[in-house]
Amino acid sequence: MIVVLDTQGNIKQSSRALQEGLNIFGNVYGKVQPDFTLSPVSDPSECSPVFLDAAAVFICVKQGKFEWAAPDVCAIRDLFYGKNGEGELVLGDDFFEIASHFPSLILDKESVQDFVRHGYLGPGQTFFKEICRVKVGTKITLGQGDVKEESLWQDSTQPKERTYEAFKGAFLSALELHHIGDQDGILLSAGCDSGLVAAAAALHF
């Protein structure tokens, strides 16, 4: 998915997936409650990305204008952005499509060295200076033509219940939200993750 914005936040170009994603949002994704259970949400513009749970980037559009964008809380899908030569902000989860909007790119030697040494890129880094990667737990907004990053994570002094029953409730609420039923199939990988989903679905749904 890719979105191209002018300096005022107006959408000049967008993938069809953006509108489709907004249309199905209320049926597919949910809000994370304080006890880690999930509840459905129908209007993404009223929800902070820190409370959203899905393996996808989040792009919030309000009244035809870009509001904010953020990667998913589990960092499964990256969100990239950069300003091209015309001053347009290009953002989305398709790195190569974003790169195609730039006539040329400058290699970030420091990022390359970090990758060679450690085997991964640091927070916010890509191999090119013109393209940034949004850090996990961060959302970006567009103010006066400049991209701003805002941290969404806050230290919490409130203790969370870390028991089997608390985990069970949070886990089953995720299955309930996604409406797993008899008509659904589960691909088993012989690991504990898919096995746990299949077992819970068989016993409770």
Side-chain angles (χ1 to χ4, degrees):
M1 179 165 54
I2 191 168
V3 181
V4 180
L5 310 170
D6 64 15
T7 56
Q8 303 301 315
N10 297 304
I11 298 175
K12 297 184 65 176
Q13 175 188 341
S14 67
S15 304
R16 183 180 177 184
L18 174 63
Q19 188 58 47
E20 291 177 348
L22 290 176
N23 286 340
I24 67 172
F25 198 104
N27 295 324
V28 177
Y29 304 132
K31 182 176 179 179
V32 183
Q33 304 296 338
D35 62 352
F36 302 106
T37 58
L38 295 179
S39 62
V41 59
S42 58
D43 185 358
S45 66
E46 296 178 357
C47 202
S48 167
V50 76
F51 294 119
L52 299 176
D53 178 74
V57 300
F58 296 100
I59 299 175
C60 182
V61 177
K62 193 171 184 179
Q63 297 178 345
K65 283 195 173 185
F66 171 79
E67 282 282 306
W68 53 260
D72 68 282
V73 294
C74 296
I76 296 173
R77 296 293 293 275
D78 280 316
L79 175 63
F80 305 96
Y81 70 91
K83 277 196 171 182
N84 61 19
E86 300 176 9
E88 300 169 331
L89 177 65
V90 186
L91 60 95
D93 59 356
D94 190 328
F95 179 85
F96 295 103
E97 190 173 356
I98 291 176
S100 70
H101 283 258
F102 293 80
S104 62
L105 293 168
I106 300 174
L107 191 68
D108 189 333
K109 294 181 180 179
E110 185 176 337
S111 294
V112 173
Q113 289 172 351
D114 287 344
F115 183 79
V116 171
R117 285 195 193 105
H118 307 294
Y120 62 90
L121 289 169
Q125 289 183 325
T126 71
F127 289 122
F128 302 102
K129 293 184 177 181
E130 293 83 357
I131 303 176
C132 300
R133 182 162 53 101
V134 181
K135 303 180 186 73
V136 179
T138 303
K139 76 174 181 180
I140 59 171
T141 59
L142 191 62
Q144 298 180 346
D146 294 325
V147 179
K148 296 181 180 179
E149 293 194 2
E150 177 184 336
S151 177
L152 297 164
W153 288 345
Q154 298 177 352
D155 293 332
S156 176
T157 56
Q158 184 178 1
K160 304 292 185 182
E161 189 180 8
R162 303 282 181 174
T163 64
Y164 168 73
E165 290 301 324
F167 165 77
K168 182 180 176 182
F171 178 71
L172 293 179
S173 76
L175 297 183
E176 290 170 355
L177 186 69
H178 290 276
H179 307 294
I180 295 180
D182 293 337
Q183 74 281 2
D184 298 311
I186 298 176
L187 180 63
L188 296 174
S189 64
C192 62
D193 296 337
S194 59
L196 183 59
V197 172
L203 288 172
H204 295 277
F205 304 101

